[in-house]
Amino acid sequence: MTLEQIRALVTDDLAAVDRLLRERSRSEVGLADQVARYIMGAGGKRLRAVLVLLCGRALGGLRHPDASFLLAAVIEFIHTASLLHDDVVDDSEVRRGRATANKVWGDEASVLGGDFFYSRAFGMIAEIDHSEVTRILANASNAIAEGELLELMHARRVGMDETQYLTIIEGKTAKLFEASCIAAARIEGASDECARELTDFGRLLGAAFQIADDAIDYLEDNPEADKSVGDDLAGGRLTLPYIYALREASEKDREFLHHAIQSGQREHIQEVCAIMHRSGAIDYAWKRAGEFAQRARERLDILNPSPWRDALDGVTEFSVSRRY
Ligand code: FPP
Ligand code: MG
């Protein structure tokens, strides 16, 4: 299933969410308004919003549409806030096919733009007025920040292993996927058993998505890339392909990888990509991403058959077959 086919199942719902995103991005403050229009206007996959809508439709048919639309918009705002911050942390140049906000307006504006979105999300969470959903979103936001700090602590530490990597990505990425599914389930009033399965679904899907993202950062030729490549190398981030290659590549290649990650020089990226390819690190990352996606999709058995359940299955497939 393509992303377009998946999105087509919730076209009207997504249009309502997009309207909210536009309306709630407005500000009287010129710079806030400019940054917000720029980043929201760039689009993006809106995958987390799609998850909220599909879970809601699959479970109860969006019994409380206003709350579900607000939830989808809140999650996109938290995600956007985290990307505005992340692009400063990673000194990234391209996002969603455009220059990053930090390259257009500088680091200060990008960080403060992130704060703008994050604080707008607070107000919308209050509008949803659902204590369990508030708790889920508060915990997820905190886990994202902790995941990022953990990643920073491990930067350039070549001893990092796969378990530590998985802990990082569970925090920085998987938690928001998880929150999208479980908060949508809570709004529909789903059973505890169903909520538990969807929590696992979101977490496993989020891990699969991030592993795929980390493989994409080392693809040799990728015309579909819509963001800077080589950021993980420059930032000394030990992602799954790198961890694997440091273990399995030839001795000469391993030495090069040690040097490249310590120095963080972007000019090493081509050689590093070549090593990733010949050591089997990219194949390994896709394989692991596929395993997580498969485990995620098994959790969907809890849902009654419906086109929305099939589309959730399609999201798992898309997450590990995409190249952008
Ligand atoms: C992308 O990772 C980044 C994240 C998934 C999270 C970033 C979070 C923060 C900077 C903390 C701020 C938190 C809040 C809630 C305001 P990546 O760099 O691996 O992916 P990329 O290639 O898309 O940049
Ligand atoms: Mg980044």
Side-chain angles (χ1 to χ4, degrees):
M1 224 172 170
T2 64
L3 188 54
E4 286 66 37
Q5 288 167 330
I6 293 166
R7 291 164 60 97
L9 276 171
V10 283
T11 307
D12 293 346
D13 300 337
L14 268 176
V17 174
D18 269 335
R19 265 196 305 280
L20 264 180
L21 291 172
R22 259 198 317 278
E23 283 165 20
R24 304 303 180 99
S25 296
R26 294 205 183 107
S27 170
E28 297 288 315
V29 175
L31 187 56
D33 203 60
Q34 262 182 306
V35 173
R37 274 175 199 268
Y38 181 80
I39 189 96
M40 292 320 295
K45 302 180 193 75
R46 305 268 197 266
L47 203 56
R48 294 151 187 85
V50 167
L51 278 180
V52 169
L53 299 169
L54 290 176
C55 286
R57 288 271 168 212
L59 282 166
L62 287 197
R63 268 186 275 245
H64 309 280
D66 291 346
S68 298
F69 296 155
L70 272 169
L71 173 65
V74 161
I75 290 194
E76 285 297 326
F77 272 5
I78 295 173
H79 174 56
T80 305
S82 75
L83 294 183
L84 283 164
H85 287 183
D86 181 67
D87 285 339
V88 173
V89 173
D90 293 347
D91 193 24
S92 297
E93 297 188 344
V94 183
R95 162 88 57 198
R96 296 175 177 169
R98 293 181 174 188
T100 52
N102 43 306
K103 293 299 161 193
V104 178
W105 289 280
D107 287 354
E108 297 94 331
S110 193
V111 169
L112 297 171
D115 295 341
F116 169 77
F117 277 115
Y118 198 42
S119 48
R120 278 282 160 98
F122 285 171
M124 292 155 73
I125 293 170
E127 277 180 60
I128 298 173
D129 195 20
H130 190 304
S131 62
E132 178 67 3
V133 168
T134 305
R135 192 187 62 77
I136 292 163
L137 294 170
N139 286 346
S141 304
N142 190 242
I144 296 170
E146 284 185 337
E148 279 286 303
L149 284 161
L150 201 56
E151 183 173 68
L152 187 63
M153 278 168 61
H154 281 89
R156 301 189 208 289
R157 289 196 188 162
V158 288
M160 195 175 119
D161 62 22
E162 196 169 319
T163 309
Q164 289 164 321
Y165 164 80
L166 290 174
T167 305
I168 290 170
I169 68 170
E170 267 194 20
K172 76 172 201 176
T173 305
K175 270 288 168 189
L176 198 57
F177 278 78
E178 187 184 305
S180 307
C181 300
I182 171 102
R186 289 303 183 198
I187 287 177
E188 294 305 317
S191 69
D192 284 345
E193 193 198 357
C194 190
R196 250 195 319 275
E197 291 295 293
L198 283 183
T199 302
D200 285 350
F201 169 75
R203 191 187 64 253
L204 294 162
L205 168 66
F209 183 90
Q210 185 61 47
I211 296 171
D213 217 66
D214 293 336
I216 290 169
D217 208 57
Y218 288 115
L219 290 185
E220 282 182 288
D221 293 302
N222 181 20
E224 290 179 54
D226 67 349
K227 57 189 177 187
S228 328
V229 289
D231 285 355
D232 290 341
L233 177 69
R237 306 294 192 244
L238 272 304
T239 58
L240 190 60
Y242 220 98
I243 292 169
Y244 178 91
L246 277 171
R247 204 172 63 213
E248 303 293 336
S250 70
E251 198 179 329
K252 187 165 155 279
D253 285 349
R254 288 204 310 268
E255 265 174 39
F256 186 85
L257 290 178
H258 270 265
H259 165 69
I261 199 84
Q262 298 294 348
S263 75
Q265 286 168 327
R266 282 182 191 268
E267 58 261 35
H268 292 319
I269 188 67
Q270 264 188 325
E271 180 56 15
V272 169
C273 285
I275 295 173
M276 292 295 164
H277 182 70
R278 66 174 170 260
S279 67
I282 298 297
D283 289 344
Y284 177 72
W286 287 124
K287 180 173 90 76
R288 292 290 283 142
E291 286 166 7
F292 276 94
Q294 180 53 34
R295 286 170 62 201
R297 95 182 347 149
E298 285 161 15
R299 299 306 196 277
L300 295 174
D301 291 345
I302 192 82
L303 299 173
N304 292 326
S306 74
W308 301 289
R309 186 182 78 171
D310 293 345
L312 285 166
D313 195 83
V315 173
T316 63
E317 190 190 311
F318 164 77
S319 296
V320 296
S321 59
R322 71 203 170 93
R323 292 294 179 270
Y324 67 101

XYZ file of all heavy atoms in Angstrom, residues 242 244-261 268 270-281:
264
model
N 25.861 1.667 11.727
C 27.242 1.930 12.160
C 27.691 0.907 13.207
O 28.816 0.390 13.162
C 27.357 3.358 12.733
C 28.640 4.053 12.311
C 28.639 4.948 11.239
C 29.848 3.789 12.944
C 29.806 5.569 10.829
C 31.020 4.413 12.538
C 30.997 5.298 11.487
O 32.157 5.910 11.072
N 26.648 -2.091 13.593
C 26.865 -3.378 12.912
C 28.196 -3.366 12.163
O 29.000 -4.296 12.278
C 25.718 -3.649 11.944
C 25.877 -4.935 11.168
C 25.351 -6.134 11.643
C 26.570 -4.949 9.948
C 25.495 -7.321 10.925
C 26.719 -6.143 9.228
C 26.181 -7.316 9.717
O 26.342 -8.483 9.012
N 28.445 -2.295 11.407
C 29.664 -2.247 10.589
C 30.916 -2.199 11.468
O 31.940 -2.795 11.124
C 29.613 -1.049 9.648
N 30.830 -1.539 12.614
C 31.987 -1.503 13.523
C 32.324 -2.898 14.044
O 33.443 -3.172 14.464
C 31.698 -0.585 14.713
C 31.922 0.912 14.503
C 31.384 1.703 15.696
C 33.404 1.236 14.293
N 31.320 -3.778 14.004
C 31.502 -5.145 14.503
C 31.904 -6.088 13.372
O 32.749 -6.950 13.552
C 30.172 -5.591 15.103
C 30.225 -6.668 16.146
C 28.867 -6.865 16.791
N 27.860 -7.318 15.831
C 26.567 -7.001 15.891
N 26.129 -6.212 16.844
N 25.729 -7.474 15.007
N 31.314 -5.889 12.176
C 31.410 -6.908 11.134
C 32.283 -6.552 9.927
O 32.600 -7.435 9.132
C 30.001 -7.258 10.616
C 29.033 -7.740 11.686
C 29.420 -9.091 12.275
O 30.124 -9.868 11.599
O 29.028 -9.350 13.435
N 32.630 -5.292 9.739
C 33.392 -4.913 8.540
C 34.824 -5.460 8.633
O 35.252 -5.931 9.698
C 33.403 -3.399 8.394
N 35.581 -5.391 7.524
C 36.981 -5.841 7.542
C 37.772 -4.946 8.495
O 37.340 -3.823 8.817
C 37.566 -5.738 6.134
O 37.705 -4.363 5.801
N 38.931 -5.431 8.903
C 39.718 -4.684 9.905
C 40.050 -3.272 9.399
O 39.924 -2.285 10.129
C 40.984 -5.452 10.234
C 41.591 -4.987 11.539
C 42.846 -5.769 11.894
O 42.928 -6.962 11.528
O 43.737 -5.157 12.507
N 40.432 -3.207 8.108
C 40.792 -1.911 7.527
C 39.578 -0.965 7.538
O 39.679 0.206 7.905
C 41.272 -2.151 6.087
C 41.829 -0.940 5.407
C 42.612 -1.372 4.159
C 42.672 -0.250 3.138
N 41.466 -0.118 2.319
N 38.425 -1.505 7.158
C 37.207 -0.680 7.138
C 36.805 -0.254 8.558
O 36.348 0.872 8.767
C 36.044 -1.440 6.470
C 36.212 -1.493 4.950
O 37.093 -0.777 4.431
O 35.465 -2.249 4.294
N 36.989 -1.162 9.488
C 36.628 -0.818 10.885
C 37.488 0.327 11.383
O 37.006 1.240 12.053
C 36.779 -2.046 11.798
C 35.718 -3.099 11.576
C 35.499 -3.983 12.810
N 36.720 -4.526 13.376
C 37.246 -5.704 13.046
N 36.657 -6.463 12.135
N 38.341 -6.137 13.631
N 38.758 0.285 11.045
C 39.670 1.377 11.448
C 39.195 2.705 10.869
O 39.183 3.736 11.539
C 41.079 1.097 10.923
C 41.959 0.417 11.947
C 43.303 0.033 11.326
O 43.840 0.824 10.522
O 43.784 -1.065 11.651
N 38.801 2.642 9.586
C 38.317 3.870 8.939
C 37.059 4.388 9.650
O 36.909 5.593 9.895
C 38.016 3.599 7.455
C 37.653 4.860 6.718
C 38.629 5.691 6.187
C 36.326 5.241 6.583
C 38.295 6.885 5.531
C 35.973 6.424 5.933
C 36.962 7.239 5.405
N 36.151 3.462 9.995
C 34.896 3.872 10.654
C 35.173 4.511 12.016
O 34.533 5.499 12.387
C 33.972 2.660 10.829
C 33.361 2.074 9.559
C 32.513 0.844 9.884
C 32.498 3.106 8.822
N 36.135 3.955 12.754
C 36.527 4.555 14.049
C 36.967 5.993 13.836
O 36.515 6.908 14.520
C 37.693 3.765 14.664
C 37.243 2.653 15.547
N 37.120 2.776 16.908
C 36.873 1.379 15.262
C 36.696 1.641 17.425
N 36.547 0.776 16.434
N 37.851 6.152 12.869
C 38.390 7.493 12.594
C 37.269 8.442 12.141
O 37.165 9.578 12.624
C 39.490 7.385 11.523
C 39.839 8.702 10.915
N 40.495 9.691 11.628
C 39.585 9.207 9.684
C 40.639 10.751 10.845
N 40.095 10.488 9.663
N 36.410 7.954 11.230
C 35.367 8.824 10.657
C 34.393 9.313 11.724
O 34.009 10.490 11.735
C 34.620 8.076 9.550
N 33.993 8.440 12.620
C 32.983 8.849 13.616
C 33.612 9.757 14.680
O 32.945 10.637 15.228
C 32.279 7.618 14.256
C 30.946 8.015 14.904
C 33.132 6.909 15.279
C 29.781 8.074 13.995
N 33.976 12.335 4.746
C 34.138 10.874 4.795
C 32.871 10.124 4.380
O 32.870 8.901 4.297
C 34.508 10.427 6.216
C 35.876 10.864 6.642
N 36.963 10.820 5.812
C 36.338 11.346 7.826
C 38.022 11.263 6.451
N 37.672 11.599 7.676
N 31.084 9.528 1.733
C 30.996 8.597 0.599
C 31.643 7.258 0.913
O 31.079 6.197 0.639
C 31.656 9.220 -0.627
C 30.619 9.886 -1.511
C 31.205 10.336 -2.822
O 32.377 10.752 -2.858
N 30.419 10.279 -3.869
N 32.842 7.334 1.520
C 33.550 6.100 1.857
C 32.787 5.322 2.935
O 32.692 4.094 2.877
C 34.983 6.438 2.318
C 35.854 5.252 2.707
C 36.005 4.185 1.606
O 35.676 4.465 0.438
O 36.431 3.056 1.946
N 32.227 6.059 3.896
C 31.455 5.387 4.947
C 30.244 4.675 4.328
O 29.961 3.516 4.661
C 31.015 6.386 6.055
C 30.002 5.738 6.996
C 32.222 6.867 6.847
N 29.556 5.341 3.406
C 28.399 4.706 2.739
C 28.845 3.433 2.015
O 28.144 2.410 2.057
C 27.751 5.662 1.737
S 26.772 6.953 2.505
N 29.996 3.502 1.368
C 30.491 2.324 0.639
C 30.769 1.181 1.620
O 30.428 0.011 1.349
C 31.753 2.689 -0.142
N 31.340 1.511 2.773
C 31.622 0.462 3.774
C 30.310 -0.120 4.309
O 30.166 -1.334 4.480
C 32.489 1.022 4.934
C 33.870 1.433 4.420
C 32.614 -0.008 6.058
C 34.744 2.145 5.441
N 29.353 0.760 4.557
C 28.040 0.299 5.050
C 27.460 -0.720 4.076
O 26.901 -1.736 4.476
C 27.057 1.477 5.159
C 27.396 2.462 6.216
S 27.281 1.693 7.829
C 28.158 2.894 8.764
N 27.600 -0.400 2.789
C 27.052 -1.264 1.767
C 27.787 -2.610 1.743
O 27.170 -3.670 1.849
C 27.152 -0.544 0.415
C 26.574 -1.319 -0.713
N 25.221 -1.518 -0.836
C 27.156 -1.967 -1.745
C 24.999 -2.258 -1.895
N 26.157 -2.545 -2.462
N 29.140 -2.554 1.641
C 29.860 -3.834 1.445
C 29.941 -4.683 2.718
O 30.133 -5.895 2.635
C 31.234 -3.604 0.821
C 32.268 -2.867 1.630
C 33.622 -2.867 0.885
N 34.568 -1.974 1.524
C 34.848 -0.751 1.105
N 34.264 -0.267 0.029
N 35.734 -0.018 1.759
N 29.782 -4.069 3.882
C 29.843 -4.876 5.119
C 28.501 -5.544 5.413
O 28.391 -6.331 6.355
C 30.224 -3.984 6.303
O 29.178 -3.059 6.548
N 27.464 -5.187 4.652
C 26.133 -5.752 4.906
C 25.368 -4.974 5.969
O 24.285 -5.393 6.406
N 25.891 -3.819 6.395
C 25.247 -3.063 7.488
C 23.878 -2.517 7.073
O 22.943 -2.500 7.880
C 26.156 -1.911 7.930
